[in-house]
Amino acid sequence: MKKNVDLCGFPYRNRTCAINRSYVCNQTIACHTGALCDANCPTHYRCQNHDCVERATLCDGNSCKGCPEDDEWTSGAGFKCIRQGKLCRLPQQLLWDGVQECDEGTDLCYLTTRRSNIDGRDIRFEHDVAFDHSLCFECLDRSMIIPRHGVCDGVIDCSDLSDECLCEGERPRICDDIILNLPDGNLLLSESSKCSVGQVSCGNGTCINRTSVCDTVADCQDNRDEKFQYCRGTLQCSDGLPADRGGECRCETRCVVKSAVLCDGVGDCPPPGFGWGTVRWGKEPGHPADECEARCSNSTAFPCVDPATGALGLGEPQYSFVCNVVFDGNWNLALVLELDSERECDGVVECTGTQEDEVDCPDRFYCLAGNRISIEQSEVCDGFEDCDDGADENNITCPHRFFCSALGGTAVSIEAELECDFNINCDDNKDELNCTDDRFYCESGKPLFVTKRQQFDGRKDCEDLTDECPITSPDRREDIFSSRYQLIANPVLRALVWIMGLLAIFGNAVVVFGESKQLVKTNKKKGLTSLSVNHMLVLNLAVADFLMGIYLIMLGIAGAVYDQRFCANELIWRSSSVCTTMGILVVLSSETSVSTMVLLTAFRLYAILNPFNASSKPTPCQVLISLCLVWVVSLALALVPLTAHLQHMFAEEALIENNPFFENVVVDLDSAKLWMEKLVIFDPEYSNVTSDTVLEMKKSTSWEELKKTLAHDENNNVEFFDVSQILGYYSADSVCIPRLFVSRADKAWPYSLAITTYNFLAFVFVLCGYTFINFVSRKSALKRKDSNVTKTLAENRMRAMQRKIIRLIATDFCCWVPISIMAFINFSGVPVPNVAYAVSAILLLPINSALNPILYSNFVDNLTSKLGLTCQKGGSNKGYSASTRMSSGSRSAISQNTVVSTAI
């Protein structure tokens, strides 16, 4: 088919012509002028003024070609990326066409999926377009799209400043000058005038709109709206101030982009209107705007020439160049070749033999070999070999270049400033390897690196998750329990979890079985009497401690489930309902156990002080009521942290995964409130929100209540505020225990400190109680005057009682006192080592649950007695015969002592 045949034009204008899109794009068929853009050809794109231009004009260094919005400047608001190895600011319409412009494809902001729609016999293909939030970010005023990685990078890319001023942590200084609502409903006053909410205060009574920041016009007297630190060179050089010294500015040029460094003593700016071969300074060094028009300090005075000197034009008229041509090695003076001036000094020899058209050419670089004699100076050290021998791009000619293969092998070097600039420019990534600045290298190399700000933020930025779980740093956080691979990193502690758990489970199960059997037996004989009280208390204690055993076994199972992959699932685990249930079990078990031991001590003290009433008081009914009260109070204590209205105290952290403004996916409630207050200012959807709503938002005590204040629908949805999980009181660490060691900075410190104080006072009570029991028992034994046999039995009972008391006090001391004392020390401001917390949580806290069955039952004494009887099998009969011949008074004395020992 003949090229450029107009098949869709006259005489077929009133008819529809359906052709293959490729015929239009490769210009086999030319329908009309704008067809290339109408067909969405990858070679062209449509400007905002509806012109259709070639994509080759994008970021080509000439702002007079292409679309007006393609002004070639890389600073200011807009979508910035690396294109063909150079930083480029793309026109916004290119982000919708599905054609990749950026080297890494970051401009493919819209995902297009094809689906079939069957309508009767017809099958129609439709396309669904979805915005890719992982690559791109839409500014909150919906005016433009920027790369996702451009959010919170310290450089303003959105015209409404929403990409930086909503960020947590460090942000541009200009963000602090934006007027926000105050709690009383008034507006923040800037020195002498009243600015509107959302405006920027210039500090001298002047207020500007946010869109006036980084727009190339200095509106504030101190240039704060065009500072280089966050605008990266939008300030016009003629507006420079001494405070702007060292920052980049824009020279006044035509068609070409020329930046300068303000007030550095070097004149960078050419004459106004400088462009493609237009003007130059008439008298050096001239009057450059970056040194002469900017208000620079005297310390960097530049020898400016009077601007009246003006500039010299370079656009001389065309002329002809005449040269002699040599044939067969001889001069033929009769033959003269007349050349256009453009062909003189173009690097190609037209005057053969003499080469006079390429000799002594100004502003040319002469190649050492090859067909090209010379090239323009602007082509030297630009990364592309223009000389056949590559002399224009070697490391001798260009010592300040970074040499590597770039742009798919078409370039041999890049600018030295591009090394370690967080953008990969070399084909082999060489320019971004071994950089020592603020970055972390992914172990898989996909991507090559992330910024330090992205490390340990709870987001999967590296494909292999090494930014959250690096091999080189197993203790990636101040997590005293877990590691990259294990829920409990220390193998000794892992073993102790299973040992203590099994001891607590089986030991307490035996006690529950034995005490239940004894209680049923007693009830069948005499009903529930005072003799049943001790069995009820020990049974209750065993059940409480059994729960601690369940917790420990659950913890061991969780460690096995997440073996070798815990770090990747840490937040999922800590925010899970299983972890919360385990935390409830710990508080319920420990506080019920503590309270039961307090009851045991109190009832036994009563038996010592009132031995003759011990058989009737306390009654089983009173004991049962006390035990029920203990369980109810302990359960209430365990559930208090789950109360919705107390989330500001116990559940101040939540997972918000799709919000680029927070430094971490784990966000605390106060930070969320502050962010939502800013959101009201920046998002036009909340333009009708009143100061009363903002005040209500600040007073919110729960995550759900906070969302309701700005919710758009019945599902309480707020943009960028999808709370996926809540990290509660029991989610502080990987083992799901309550927060034992707190400081005043922890909002739940009153609760934790109250439990610690109660446990400590309970130990003091048990210690004093059993010390008193021991004292009274010894005093009673010394007063008795019985036979030798009776005294021997009494002494044996006394020694057994003393051993039991020592065991009780020793284990209670190991459990409660170290934890309580360390908690008090930590609360006073002296930090406790992490290892102490780990040992307290895994070893000391559950130690009573594992040992209480042995201590509070007669297990040890019975075992000792059985072992003693076995060893003394022959001689025991004689002792028994002697004991049977005791007097009735002796039996009475032993019986009285039994009341005391039973109380133990």
Side-chain angles (χ1 to χ4, degrees), residues 552-806:
L552 292 170
I553 295 301
M554 290 177 68
L555 182 61
I557 293 174
V561 169
Y562 291 114
D563 183 40
Q564 300 300 315
R565 58 188 185 93
F566 175 71
C567 179
N569 298 279
E570 179 181 1
L571 291 177
I572 297 175
W573 164 248
R574 287 170 52 199
S575 60
S576 66
S577 57
V578 176
C579 185
T580 301
T581 303
M582 290 169 58
I584 294 173
L585 285 177
V586 171
V587 174
L588 179 61
S589 171
S590 60
E591 296 313 305
T592 301
S593 180
V594 167
S595 300
T596 302
M597 285 187 283
V598 169
L599 286 178
L600 273 166
T601 306
F603 291 154
R604 290 173 180 182
L605 274 174
Y606 180 82
I608 288 294
L609 296 174
N610 300 279
F612 298 104
N613 295 329
S615 60
S616 60
K617 292 184 179 179
T619 65
C621 184
Q622 292 173 334
V623 174
L624 190 60
I625 292 174
S626 300
L627 293 178
C628 289
L629 185 62
V630 165
W631 279 99
V632 170
V633 172
S634 298
L635 182 61
L637 277 175
L639 295 178
V640 162
L642 304 183
T643 306
H645 293 293
L646 294 178
Q647 282 187 350
H648 66 287
M649 180 177 179
F650 294 104
E652 55 179 332
E653 292 183 336
L655 298 184
I656 304 178
E657 300 183 11
N658 295 320
N659 189 311
F661 302 105
F662 292 117
E663 293 180 308
N664 199 298
V665 294
V666 180
V667 182
D668 64 82
L669 191 59
D670 289 338
S671 298
K673 291 179 183 179
L674 180 60
W675 179 81
M676 290 186 72
E677 181 184 357
K678 299 176 190 174
L679 181 66
V680 170
I681 303 299
F682 285 88
D683 197 332
E685 293 186 14
Y686 302 107
S687 57
N688 296 326
V689 172
T690 63
S691 57
D692 292 335
T693 303
V694 175
L695 182 61
E696 180 185 353
M697 179 177 60
K698 291 182 177 181
K699 292 181 179 180
S700 301
T701 59
S702 68
W703 292 97
E704 195 63 27
E705 187 177 338
L706 179 61
K707 290 180 65 177
K708 285 182 180 179
T709 56
L710 295 182
H712 290 303
D713 51 40
E714 58 183 11
N715 296 322
N716 297 330
N717 290 324
V718 178
E719 189 176 18
F720 299 115
F721 200 73
D722 182 17
V723 179
S724 58
Q725 295 288 343
I726 294 177
L727 294 173
Y729 182 73
Y730 303 115
S731 303
D733 46 59
S734 59
V735 295
C736 309
I737 61 172
R739 301 171 189 173
L740 301 176
F741 302 160
V742 294
S743 63
R744 292 188 181 274
D746 193 326
K747 293 184 178 180
W749 71 262
Y751 175 84
S752 297
L753 192 63
I755 290 180
T756 301
T757 303
Y758 169 72
N759 292 342
F760 180 76
L761 293 177
F763 164 76
V764 173
F765 174 74
V766 172
L767 173 64
C768 295
Y770 279 109
T771 302
F772 181 75
I773 290 172
N774 184 46
F775 173 76
V776 172
S777 300
R778 288 179 61 85
K779 188 175 180 180
S780 298
L782 292 174
K783 287 182 179 181
R784 286 195 294 271
K785 296 180 180 180
D786 297 323
S787 63
N788 292 334
V789 176
T790 305
K791 287 183 179 181
T792 301
L793 290 174
E795 289 174 358
N796 290 337
R797 286 179 179 272
M798 186 61 61
R799 282 193 293 268
M801 180 184 67
Q802 289 174 348
R803 288 194 299 269
K804 181 176 287 188
I805 290 175
I806 291 173

Side-chain angles (χ1 to χ4, degrees), residues 179-446:
I179 309 303
L180 302 177
N181 270 319
L182 292 181
D184 58 1
N186 296 325
L187 299 179
L188 181 65
L189 295 178
S190 61
E191 298 178 359
S192 60
S193 67
K194 194 174 183 181
C195 297
S196 301
V197 174
Q199 285 191 315
V200 177
S201 171
C202 289
N204 61 345
T206 304
C207 300
I208 62 174
N209 294 325
R210 296 195 305 276
T211 53
S212 298
V213 178
C214 300
D215 67 342
T216 75
V217 179
D219 299 291
C220 293
Q221 187 176 8
D222 57 0
N223 290 348
R224 69 176 62 184
D225 57 318
E226 303 296 329
K227 287 291 183 183
F228 174 75
Q229 287 79 1
Y230 41 82
C231 294
R232 285 295 187 268
T234 59
L235 182 67
Q236 298 293 337
C237 293
S238 57
D239 294 327
L241 297 175
D244 301 318
R245 178 183 176 184
E248 286 189 11
C249 62
R250 293 186 178 186
C251 301
E252 183 183 346
T253 55
R254 186 179 70 86
C255 295
V256 298
V257 170
K258 179 62 178 175
S259 296
V261 179
L262 274 167
C263 305
D264 64 344
V266 178
D268 299 311
C269 284
F274 174 84
W276 295 101
T278 51
V279 293
R280 68 184 179 188
W281 290 115
K283 184 178 181 181
E284 299 293 344
H287 194 80
D290 57 310
E291 300 296 328
C292 301
E293 294 186 30
R295 286 167 281 180
C296 300
S297 61
N298 294 330
S299 60
T300 59
F302 182 84
C304 301
V305 175
D306 188 350
T309 303
L312 265 181
L314 295 180
E316 291 86 358
Q318 297 291 320
Y319 63 91
S320 298
F321 179 83
V322 179
C323 69
N324 296 313
V325 181
V326 177
F327 291 99
D328 298 328
N330 299 314
W331 288 98
N332 186 345
L333 300 178
L335 182 60
V336 177
L337 180 65
E338 184 175 349
L339 304 176
D340 293 335
S341 61
E342 294 180 354
R343 298 173 64 183
E344 180 191 7
C345 295
D346 63 351
V348 179
V349 175
E350 267 83 23
C351 299
T352 58
T354 63
Q355 300 183 356
E356 55 188 295
D357 59 319
E358 299 296 329
V359 175
D360 298 328
C361 297
D363 299 325
R364 301 286 293 183
F365 176 87
Y366 282 86
C367 304
L368 300 179
N371 294 325
R372 296 199 67 176
I373 299 296
S374 66
I375 61 174
E376 294 183 8
Q377 284 289 348
S378 60
E379 295 177 302
V380 180
C381 299
D382 63 351
F384 300 94
E385 292 182 341
D386 298 291
C387 292
D388 295 338
D389 59 357
D392 59 318
E393 298 296 331
N394 59 37
N395 55 7
I396 299 176
T397 306
C398 312
H400 302 298
R401 299 280 294 182
F402 183 89
F403 286 85
C404 68
S405 175
L407 298 179
T410 59
V412 296
S413 68
I414 60 174
E415 296 178 11
E417 294 79 8
L418 298 180
E419 182 184 8
C420 296
D421 67 340
F422 291 92
N423 294 302
I424 297 175
N425 300 282
C426 296
D427 296 338
D428 58 358
N429 305 332
K430 181 181 177 181
D431 58 317
E432 299 299 324
L433 293 175
N434 303 317
C435 299
T436 58
D437 50 7
D438 190 23
R439 71 181 69 200
F440 171 82
Y441 289 95
C442 301
E443 293 170 19
S444 66
K446 298 180 181 179

